[in-house]
Short mmCIF file of all heavy atoms in Angstrom, two decimals:
data_model
loop_
_atom_site.label_atom_id
_atom_site.label_comp_id
_atom_site.label_asym_id
_atom_site.label_seq_id
_atom_site.Cartn_x
_atom_site.Cartn_y
_atom_site.Cartn_z
N MET K 1 -186.77 -55.10 -69.47
CA MET K 1 -187.08 -54.28 -68.32
C MET K 1 -186.81 -54.99 -66.97
O MET K 1 -186.34 -54.40 -66.03
CB MET K 1 -188.50 -53.76 -68.37
CG MET K 1 -188.73 -52.87 -69.56
SD MET K 1 -187.65 -51.40 -69.67
CE MET K 1 -188.72 -50.18 -68.94
N ARG K 2 -187.20 -56.24 -66.89
CA ARG K 2 -187.01 -56.95 -65.64
C ARG K 2 -185.50 -57.27 -65.38
O ARG K 2 -185.08 -57.17 -64.23
CB ARG K 2 -187.78 -58.27 -65.63
CG ARG K 2 -189.32 -58.07 -65.42
CD ARG K 2 -190.05 -59.33 -65.13
NE ARG K 2 -191.43 -59.10 -64.77
CZ ARG K 2 -192.45 -59.05 -65.60
NH1 ARG K 2 -192.22 -59.25 -66.92
NH2 ARG K 2 -193.61 -58.78 -65.22
N SER K 3 -184.77 -57.61 -66.40
CA SER K 3 -183.36 -57.88 -66.23
C SER K 3 -182.58 -56.64 -65.86
O SER K 3 -181.68 -56.66 -65.07
CB SER K 3 -182.75 -58.63 -67.42
OG SER K 3 -183.05 -58.02 -68.63
N GLY K 4 -183.01 -55.53 -66.48
CA GLY K 4 -182.43 -54.23 -66.13
C GLY K 4 -182.75 -53.84 -64.77
O GLY K 4 -181.92 -53.32 -63.91
N TYR K 5 -184.00 -53.99 -64.33
CA TYR K 5 -184.49 -53.64 -63.05
C TYR K 5 -183.81 -54.47 -61.92
O TYR K 5 -183.60 -53.95 -60.80
CB TYR K 5 -185.98 -53.84 -62.95
CG TYR K 5 -186.64 -53.33 -61.74
CD1 TYR K 5 -187.01 -51.95 -61.64
CD2 TYR K 5 -186.98 -54.11 -60.60
CE1 TYR K 5 -187.67 -51.46 -60.50
CE2 TYR K 5 -187.60 -53.64 -59.48
CZ TYR K 5 -187.96 -52.28 -59.44
OH TYR K 5 -188.59 -51.81 -58.37
N ALA K 6 -183.37 -55.70 -62.24
CA ALA K 6 -182.63 -56.42 -61.29
C ALA K 6 -181.28 -55.82 -60.92
O ALA K 6 -180.71 -56.03 -59.81
CB ALA K 6 -182.36 -57.85 -61.77
N ARG K 7 -180.76 -54.93 -61.79
CA ARG K 7 -179.56 -54.11 -61.43
C ARG K 7 -179.87 -52.94 -60.59
O ARG K 7 -179.02 -52.37 -59.94
CB ARG K 7 -178.97 -53.60 -62.79
CG ARG K 7 -178.59 -54.67 -63.79
CD ARG K 7 -178.20 -54.04 -65.11
NE ARG K 7 -177.99 -55.06 -66.15
CZ ARG K 7 -176.86 -55.68 -66.27
NH1 ARG K 7 -175.81 -55.51 -65.48
NH2 ARG K 7 -176.70 -56.64 -67.17
N GLY K 8 -181.12 -52.41 -60.70
CA GLY K 8 -181.50 -51.23 -59.94
C GLY K 8 -182.69 -50.54 -60.58
O GLY K 8 -182.78 -50.62 -61.78
N ASP K 9 -183.50 -49.95 -59.81
CA ASP K 9 -184.76 -49.41 -60.35
C ASP K 9 -184.57 -48.21 -61.23
O ASP K 9 -185.48 -47.88 -62.03
CB ASP K 9 -185.76 -49.06 -59.18
CG ASP K 9 -185.25 -47.94 -58.21
OD1 ASP K 9 -184.05 -47.54 -58.41
OD2 ASP K 9 -185.97 -47.59 -57.34
N ALA K 10 -183.41 -47.58 -61.19
CA ALA K 10 -183.19 -46.39 -62.02
C ALA K 10 -183.24 -46.80 -63.56
O ALA K 10 -183.51 -46.02 -64.42
CB ALA K 10 -181.83 -45.77 -61.77
N TRP K 11 -183.05 -48.13 -63.84
CA TRP K 11 -183.07 -48.60 -65.22
C TRP K 11 -184.33 -48.30 -65.92
O TRP K 11 -184.33 -47.77 -67.06
CB TRP K 11 -182.79 -50.09 -65.23
CG TRP K 11 -182.88 -50.76 -66.53
CD1 TRP K 11 -184.01 -51.24 -67.19
CD2 TRP K 11 -181.83 -51.09 -67.45
NE1 TRP K 11 -183.73 -51.76 -68.43
CE2 TRP K 11 -182.37 -51.69 -68.58
CE3 TRP K 11 -180.46 -50.82 -67.36
CZ2 TRP K 11 -181.61 -52.10 -69.66
CZ3 TRP K 11 -179.65 -51.19 -68.48
CH2 TRP K 11 -180.25 -51.89 -69.61
N VAL K 12 -185.49 -48.57 -65.25
CA VAL K 12 -186.73 -48.32 -65.98
C VAL K 12 -187.05 -46.86 -66.17
O VAL K 12 -187.65 -46.52 -67.26
CB VAL K 12 -187.95 -49.01 -65.21
CG1 VAL K 12 -187.70 -50.53 -65.09
CG2 VAL K 12 -188.17 -48.42 -63.88
N TYR K 13 -186.60 -45.99 -65.34
CA TYR K 13 -186.81 -44.60 -65.50
C TYR K 13 -185.97 -44.06 -66.73
O TYR K 13 -186.45 -43.30 -67.51
CB TYR K 13 -186.38 -43.83 -64.24
CG TYR K 13 -187.32 -44.07 -63.09
CD1 TYR K 13 -187.19 -45.20 -62.28
CD2 TYR K 13 -188.41 -43.16 -62.83
CE1 TYR K 13 -188.03 -45.43 -61.22
CE2 TYR K 13 -189.22 -43.40 -61.75
CZ TYR K 13 -189.08 -44.56 -60.95
OH TYR K 13 -189.95 -44.75 -59.94
N LEU K 14 -184.75 -44.59 -66.90
CA LEU K 14 -183.89 -44.23 -67.96
C LEU K 14 -184.50 -44.65 -69.31
O LEU K 14 -184.61 -43.92 -70.25
CB LEU K 14 -182.46 -44.77 -67.78
CG LEU K 14 -181.48 -44.60 -68.90
CD1 LEU K 14 -181.31 -43.13 -69.18
CD2 LEU K 14 -180.19 -45.24 -68.61
N VAL K 15 -184.86 -45.93 -69.37
CA VAL K 15 -185.44 -46.47 -70.63
C VAL K 15 -186.68 -45.69 -71.04
O VAL K 15 -186.84 -45.31 -72.18
CB VAL K 15 -185.69 -47.98 -70.50
CG1 VAL K 15 -186.42 -48.50 -71.72
CG2 VAL K 15 -184.37 -48.74 -70.35
N ILE K 16 -187.58 -45.54 -70.10
CA ILE K 16 -188.89 -44.90 -70.42
C ILE K 16 -188.69 -43.45 -70.80
O ILE K 16 -189.28 -42.99 -71.74
CB ILE K 16 -189.87 -45.07 -69.24
CG1 ILE K 16 -190.32 -46.55 -69.10
CG2 ILE K 16 -191.07 -44.13 -69.39
CD1 ILE K 16 -191.12 -46.87 -67.91
N ALA K 17 -187.84 -42.72 -70.10
CA ALA K 17 -187.65 -41.30 -70.36
C ALA K 17 -186.93 -41.18 -71.78
O ALA K 17 -187.18 -40.22 -72.50
CB ALA K 17 -186.76 -40.63 -69.31
N HIS K 18 -186.09 -42.14 -72.12
CA HIS K 18 -185.33 -42.14 -73.41
C HIS K 18 -186.35 -42.33 -74.56
O HIS K 18 -186.38 -41.58 -75.50
CB HIS K 18 -184.30 -43.17 -73.39
CG HIS K 18 -183.63 -43.39 -74.73
ND1 HIS K 18 -182.48 -42.76 -75.10
CD2 HIS K 18 -184.03 -44.15 -75.86
CE1 HIS K 18 -182.08 -43.06 -76.33
NE2 HIS K 18 -183.07 -43.86 -76.81
N GLU K 19 -187.24 -43.37 -74.41
CA GLU K 19 -188.15 -43.63 -75.48
C GLU K 19 -189.18 -42.52 -75.64
O GLU K 19 -189.59 -42.19 -76.71
CB GLU K 19 -188.90 -44.97 -75.25
CG GLU K 19 -187.95 -46.16 -75.29
CD GLU K 19 -187.08 -46.18 -76.59
OE1 GLU K 19 -187.54 -45.72 -77.64
OE2 GLU K 19 -185.99 -46.75 -76.50
N TRP K 20 -189.58 -41.90 -74.50
CA TRP K 20 -190.40 -40.73 -74.57
C TRP K 20 -189.78 -39.64 -75.30
O TRP K 20 -190.44 -38.82 -76.00
CB TRP K 20 -190.87 -40.34 -73.16
CG TRP K 20 -192.32 -39.97 -73.02
CD1 TRP K 20 -192.97 -38.86 -73.40
CD2 TRP K 20 -193.32 -40.80 -72.34
NE1 TRP K 20 -194.28 -38.86 -73.02
CE2 TRP K 20 -194.55 -40.08 -72.39
CE3 TRP K 20 -193.29 -42.04 -71.79
CZ2 TRP K 20 -195.71 -40.56 -71.84
CZ3 TRP K 20 -194.45 -42.52 -71.21
CH2 TRP K 20 -195.64 -41.81 -71.32
N GLY K 21 -188.47 -39.57 -75.17
CA GLY K 21 -187.72 -38.53 -75.90
C GLY K 21 -187.90 -38.65 -77.41
O GLY K 21 -187.96 -37.67 -78.10
N HIS K 22 -187.92 -39.88 -77.92
CA HIS K 22 -188.21 -40.12 -79.31
C HIS K 22 -189.63 -39.70 -79.72
O HIS K 22 -189.84 -39.17 -80.84
CB HIS K 22 -188.02 -41.55 -79.67
CG HIS K 22 -186.55 -41.99 -79.68
ND1 HIS K 22 -185.59 -41.34 -80.35
CD2 HIS K 22 -185.93 -43.02 -79.02
CE1 HIS K 22 -184.40 -41.93 -80.17
NE2 HIS K 22 -184.58 -43.00 -79.35
N ALA K 23 -190.58 -39.85 -78.81
CA ALA K 23 -191.92 -39.35 -79.10
C ALA K 23 -191.92 -37.83 -79.15
O ALA K 23 -192.66 -37.29 -79.99
CB ALA K 23 -192.89 -39.89 -78.01
N ILE K 24 -191.14 -37.19 -78.38
CA ILE K 24 -191.03 -35.72 -78.40
C ILE K 24 -190.41 -35.31 -79.72
O ILE K 24 -190.88 -34.39 -80.37
CB ILE K 24 -190.17 -35.22 -77.20
CG1 ILE K 24 -190.92 -35.56 -75.88
CG2 ILE K 24 -189.97 -33.71 -77.35
CD1 ILE K 24 -192.31 -35.04 -75.81
N GLN K 25 -189.35 -36.00 -80.15
CA GLN K 25 -188.73 -35.65 -81.44
C GLN K 25 -189.74 -35.73 -82.57
O GLN K 25 -189.75 -34.92 -83.53
CB GLN K 25 -187.55 -36.65 -81.71
CG GLN K 25 -186.41 -36.43 -80.76
CD GLN K 25 -185.38 -37.52 -80.95
OE1 GLN K 25 -185.71 -38.72 -81.14
NE2 GLN K 25 -184.09 -37.20 -80.71
N ALA K 26 -190.61 -36.70 -82.54
CA ALA K 26 -191.60 -36.93 -83.59
C ALA K 26 -192.65 -35.78 -83.63
O ALA K 26 -193.30 -35.59 -84.64
CB ALA K 26 -192.35 -38.23 -83.39
#
């Protein structure tokens, strides 16, 4: 998360929303 965030803050929003998507699938 920190190395991705160094590229830009949108990284953490994408990762978190994606993993939450798997929780929704479950």
Side-chain angles (χ1 to χ4, degrees):
M1 297 302 263
R2 286 192 172 90
S3 50
Y5 190 80
R7 305 172 184 277
D9 61 357
W11 175 274
V12 300
Y13 291 84
L14 174 59
V15 171
I16 289 172
H18 174 95
E19 296 308 330
W20 224 283
H22 288 307
I24 297 304
Q25 290 170 328

